[in-house]
Amino acid sequence: MMNKIVLTMASLRLMSGSIEIIAAILMLRLATIEKALLVNSALALVGPLVLLTTTTIGLVGVADKLSYGKMLWIIAGVSCLFIGIIKK
């Protein structure tokens, strides 16, 4: 039987990929740079939210197997990712 946490994480990634494909099709159908930029801007929100959600779900799944020190390192790494995404 598949682990529920792995299944949830994979499902979120499949959903995120589907959103990306739908957005690309929408950009092609709208056929203007301005509208394509709007769609792309909306995607800029989806990516980090999916990253944060899947990481959180994964951490919850392994929380009982990790020491507090390792958890802090993981949280620090994810925080660095978000700082890098936010700062341009």
Side-chain angles (χ1 to χ4, degrees):
M1 185 176 144
M2 177 148 319
N3 186 313
K4 289 181 184 179
I5 291 175
V6 173
L7 184 60
T8 303
M9 292 172 69
S11 297
L12 282 169
R13 285 296 175 183
L14 284 169
M15 181 188 68
S16 176
S18 298
I19 290 170
E20 295 272 347
I21 291 169
I22 290 168
I25 292 168
L26 186 60
M27 286 180 191
L28 290 171
R29 293 197 52 121
L30 293 173
T32 65
I33 296 171
E34 294 82 9
K35 290 178 182 176
L37 280 171
L38 283 172
V39 172
N40 192 60
S41 297
L43 285 177
L45 295 172
V46 173
L49 287 175
V50 171
L51 171 67
L52 180 63
T53 305
T54 54
T55 302
T56 301
I57 291 169
L59 287 175
V60 167
V62 296
D64 59 332
K65 298 173 189 164
L66 291 178
S67 67
Y68 289 112
K70 287 184 179 179
M71 276 292 238
L72 287 174
W73 278 112
I74 292 169
I75 292 168
V78 172
S79 298
C80 288
L81 283 170
F82 276 100
I83 290 169
I85 290 168
I86 292 170
K87 293 200 176 211
K88 293 181 180 181

